[in-house]
Structure formats: structure tokens, C-alpha cells
Amino acid sequence: DIQMTQSPSSLSASVGDRVTITCQASQDITKYLNWFEQKPGKAPKLLIHDASILEMGVPSRFSGSGSGTDFTFTISSLQPEDIATYYCQQYHTRYTFGQGTKVAIK
Amino acid sequence: QEHLVESGGGVVHPGRSLRLSCGASGFNFHNYAMHWVRQAPGKGLEWVATISYDGDFEYYTDFLRGRFTISRDNSKNSLFLQLNSLGPDDTAVYYCARERGFCSGGYCPRYYGMDVWGQGTTVTVS
């Protein structure tokens, strides 16, 4: 099974800060990575697919990069409405989620 | 607008069974594979099962050990998950989700993960 290691598990940043989350796969998954946002009590929402392609309607402050085993998710300027837990997910072989990163406002 | 609504959750004793349902609307249900994903209280997301657009193929995560069965009824735009031999570790919110890849003319290029999600239904085993 492919394992996904996501870090950090939580972070606190100020409004306007740049926030970066990393996700490492236990083997090469090429570009087959999604990023999800989950707000408290809500279902996950797909933000990015194929490691870097933004879903329609997702603000441009969100971005993703990487390929192979190492991936990065970035919020260029943190906004209050970005308070959520973010998950990476590989779909190269079946599906595995990262452990999640809880983002809070400082 | 694509919409998924789960139902069938509840409180159940260990060892008992439960059948979850998911109704789909706003898209051509028969053109998409479908997934179940669960989330234990305070924990992360965990893929449970996937069924092909036509119901011919089923895929399960290894930890289930044959206890769950995914199925679908395309004539009723409905997805199901039969949960048997439930234990406390199965306590979770169960989400149904649509596969992002579109299947046309019997051809599905590959699976890409979940794009549309329902609001979830809660299963408590106690």
C-alpha cells in the first residue's frame, strides 16, 4: 500500500501569511495527487487535482506543486475563511489520504 | 447542480449490520464510478470502497476483511454500502462521493479520486 506522510499536523499563521503544507508518498505516484479542504462539520471539498490543477471556482491563492514522491500545497495569503483541515490524497494505486493539516489563525 | 445525500446511519450494537444509502441527482449517475469514504470522530479520511460505473467491479480497502459490500442501482440513481459484523472501530461519518473521471461508452480512462461529496451519515457502534 502507498503511504502518504503529510506535515505539519497543525499550524497557526496570521492573516496574509504564506502557508505551506507538504505531502510525501512512499513510492512514485507521478502526478496523481488531490488536495482537499475540510471545514468543521462539513464534507471535504476538492481543491486541486493532478497535483497542481485548481478546481473551477477555487481562489487563486491556493496552489499545488510536485511530482513523483514530494508535493507541496500553498496558500499564498491566508484568509480567515481558510480555517480548515487540508488533506492530500494519492490515486495512483487505490486511494490513500494524508493525516491532515489543521490550519488556524494566529 | 450535482448533489449526493446519504442516509441509513444510526446507533447499532456490535456485531450487527447496517445498510447505508446514497441518492444522487444533478448528473448522469450511470456515467460515474462511486466511492465510500469514512471518518472516525476526530480522525482523518479513510477510503472504504469503490464501485465501477456499471456495478461490475468493486474495490475495497484491505482492513474491511470482507465485512462491507458496495452496490448500486443505476435505475434509481442510488449507491449502497452494506456493513456487517460492525465493531466499535467502524464508528464514523460515512461519505459517498463521485469519482472525478467520466465514463463514456463503457470506457473509463482511469480513476482520479473523489470530486463531489455528500454531507455524510453517522454510524455509531456501541
Side-chain angles (χ1 to χ4, degrees), chain B residues 70-91:
Chain B
I70 190 172
S71 62
R72 67 190 294 161
D73 184 343
N74 284 350
S75 69
K76 296 182 179 178
N77 290 345
S78 295
L79 175 73
F80 306 100
L81 186 67
Q82 178 69 38
L83 293 72
N84 296 330
S85 302
L86 285 163
D89 288 349
D90 296 316
T91 293

Side-chain angles (χ1 to χ4, degrees), chain B residues 14-75:
Chain B
R16 302 301 292 267
S17 300
L18 209 57
R19 190 189 195 212
L20 307 182
S21 300
C22 173
S25 61
F27 65 97
N28 292 326
F29 183 70
H30 60 271
N31 284 126
Y32 294 88
M34 295 294 294
H35 310 277
W36 286 99
V37 175
R38 73 180 186 182
Q39 186 170 36
K43 302 296 185 182
L45 300 166
E46 184 175 47
W47 170 66
V48 172
T50 297
I51 188 166
S52 61
Y53 73 100
D54 55 5
D56 282 355
F57 298 96
E58 303 164 23
Y59 310 91
Y60 298 94
T61 189
D62 290 340
F63 69 78
L64 290 181
R65 295 188 296 276
R67 296 185 297 119
F68 293 3
T69 303
I70 190 172
S71 62
R72 67 190 294 161
D73 184 343
N74 284 350
S75 69

